[in-house]
Amino acid sequence: MFDSHCHLTDDRFAEDREEVLSRAHAAGVRRVVTIASDLADSLAAIKLAAAHPDTWCSVGIHPHEVERAQEGDELRIRELAAREEVVALGETGLDYFYDNSPRALQRDWFGRHLDLAAELDLPVVVHTREADRDIMELLDAAVPEITTVLHCFTGGMELLEFGLERGSYVSFSGIVSFGKFDGHEAVRRVPRDRLLVETDSPYLAPVPRRGKRNEPALLPHVIEAVAALRGENASDVAEYTSENAARFYGI
Ligand SMILES: [Zn+2]
């Protein structure tokens, strides 16, 4: 299995990061991409990925964090993106639910990540929350060759169709296992060759561990929930989502 999106540099893993990675391996989650949230986190992610086999990372600035970003950060991200551990840019995008940073600044940095992706030929990890309209507008304005993943997808069907039309991958997290989850149609709609799975750990632990700290070893619960909704075999979903993640990240 391939956890396409987690945050292993998070402080909540400070005490037992090595055990977390061993547990993932023991659970059959052999590959992980740890996703960066700001410049300091990008450096930490590279260090972590460099020290562990079958572990890669992204570099970039989360929409929550763009207000604290410095002008020189873009240049540093560009430099760091050349490292062999780095397989994507992000996570970037728009979050109009939390609005932790001004929306205009979120749009500005999302655009910068997309420009950088076109220049560096790297895929982009897109965070989108209650911003479907503006995400579509900015993706529409971007170079069509950029490969994107709509991560932890909870958006509307219009955004989903737009993304699929544009060649995007779509990733689902433990949210699919929650009782109130209402995106069943979206989970069924994504073609096999575009579907990714993720834990987004330490956030969003799937049922039966909901509310606890999440970790990559819990990915099988996400896969089971996705498989059940699609009426497929969990082992098939595990296999094709691993292949898709490797293709998406160019691994
Ligand atoms: Zn994330």
Side-chain angles (χ1 to χ4, degrees), residues 94-107:
L94 305 173
D95 194 315
Y96 293 173
F97 179 74
Y98 285 108
D99 276 326
N100 286 351
S101 288
R103 291 182 179 185
L105 208 52
Q106 294 187 42
R107 286 192 289 267

Side-chain angles (χ1 to χ4, degrees), residues 5-7 35 62 91 127 151 198 200 203:
H5 187 122
C6 55
H7 299 274
I35 302 292
H62 194 289
E91 60 184 291
H127 173 107
H151 112 85
E198 63 177 283
D200 206 10
Y203 314 104

Side-chain angles (χ1 to χ4, degrees), residues 128-195:
T128 164
R129 187 109 193 252
E130 302 204 350
D132 293 18
R133 182 69 40 207
D134 283 7
I135 288 282
M136 288 189 270
E137 192 183 312
L138 281 159
L139 285 177
D140 220 16
V143 179
E145 288 76 23
I146 302 172
T147 310
T148 54
V149 58
L150 302 174
H151 112 85
C152 192
F153 190 80
T154 56
M157 290 305 288
E158 193 186 346
L159 175 60
L160 185 76
E161 294 298 341
F162 172 90
L164 292 175
E165 179 75 22
R166 202 187 173 281
S168 273
Y169 288 72
V170 181
S171 178
F172 293 99
S173 70
I175 290 178
V176 297
S177 71
F178 298 174
K180 65 168 174 116
F181 178 65
D182 62 359
H184 302 199
E185 195 187 348
V187 175
R188 295 189 185 112
R189 170 71 184 96
V190 180
R192 267 179 182 240
D193 62 348
R194 302 280 194 82
L195 186 72

Side-chain angles (χ1 to χ4, degrees), residues 60-63 66 71 74 77-78 89-96 102-120 122 124-127 134-143 146 148 166:
I61 301 179
H62 194 289
V66 293
E71 212 30 59
E74 188 184 342
I77 299 281
R78 176 189 273 110
L89 292 175
E91 60 184 291
T92 180
L94 305 173
D95 194 315
Y96 293 173
R103 291 182 179 185
L105 208 52
Q106 294 187 42
R107 286 192 289 267
D108 175 45
W109 276 94
F110 184 33
R112 291 177 190 224
H113 282 84
L114 292 171
D115 290 346
L116 215 47
E119 181 190 326
L120 304 174
L122 279 171
V124 182
V125 179
V126 179
H127 173 107
D134 283 7
I135 288 282
M136 288 189 270
E137 192 183 312
L138 281 159
L139 285 177
D140 220 16
V143 179
I146 302 172
T148 54
R166 202 187 173 281

Side-chain angles (χ1 to χ4, degrees), residues 65-84:
E65 309 297 334
V66 293
E67 195 171 21
R68 281 176 291 281
Q70 311 286 316
E71 212 30 59
D73 288 5
E74 188 184 342
L75 194 61
R76 293 287 288 128
I77 299 281
R78 176 189 273 110
E79 287 165 8
L80 293 174
R83 295 282 305 251
E84 63 174 336

